[in-house]
Amino acid sequence: MNSTSAAVAGAAVFVWLGMVLAISFLEAPLKFRAPGVTVPLGLGIGRIVFRALNIAEAALGVLVVVAVATGGPDAGVIVPTALAVAVLAVQLGVVRPRLNRRSDRVLAGEQVPRSSAHLYYVALEVIKTVVLLVLGVLLLAV
């Protein structure tokens, strides 16, 4: 893989990784511990924050794919690139709509049970985090 494409992809991967770590593993769980933050308020904030995060992730994912594709990559870089993008696609296309429907109901005042979709989203975040870390290290080694 050429060094310019690897540098661009690597920078995008580490920005993406940092955003996921900061939002998913710091902001999201901590906001519910703040004084006065109710579940509906936390969900409303979370929806806005995660919508922005997911837009940024999609843009970074496109940037990574383009940089990798134009850089003459080997399979060692292609596989984690595809996996990171696939995990994001599942989160956005399958899990987030379920979470949004549930949060719509909570914000409308319904009492709804906890959703397993949240656990799937978190599991996918962990997988994506590991894949992005591996991909970033591989790109640094180019």
Side-chain angles (χ1 to χ4, degrees):
M1 183 165 186
N2 75 52
S3 60
T4 302
S5 292
V8 169
V13 164
F14 283 114
V15 169
W16 185 359
L17 176 62
M19 292 178 76
V20 169
L21 291 172
I23 299 298
S24 294
F25 297 107
L26 284 176
E27 184 275 339
L30 291 177
K31 87 172 144 260
F32 289 101
R33 294 184 180 179
V37 175
T38 62
V39 170
L41 179 60
L43 286 176
I45 293 167
R47 285 173 63 144
I48 293 168
V49 170
F50 274 91
R51 184 178 310 120
L53 172 64
N54 292 152
I55 291 167
E57 285 186 284
L60 289 165
V62 168
L63 178 59
V64 170
V65 167
V66 169
V68 167
T70 60
D74 59 22
V77 172
I78 293 171
V79 171
T81 299
L83 186 55
V85 172
V87 169
L88 179 61
V90 170
Q91 286 179 301
L92 298 181
V94 177
V95 183
R96 277 294 304 273
R98 289 179 59 195
L99 289 172
N100 286 342
R101 284 191 297 274
R102 182 185 181 279
S103 64
D104 285 342
R105 292 174 62 198
V106 171
L107 292 171
E110 288 184 48
Q111 295 291 338
V112 294
R114 289 200 81 157
S115 169
S116 61
H118 182 260
L119 298 177
Y120 293 125
Y121 194 90
V122 171
L124 289 167
E125 284 291 75
V126 170
I127 292 166
K128 184 171 60 184
T129 298
V130 171
V131 170
L132 288 172
L133 182 59
V134 167
L135 178 57
V137 169
L138 289 171
L139 290 165
L140 284 176
V142 170

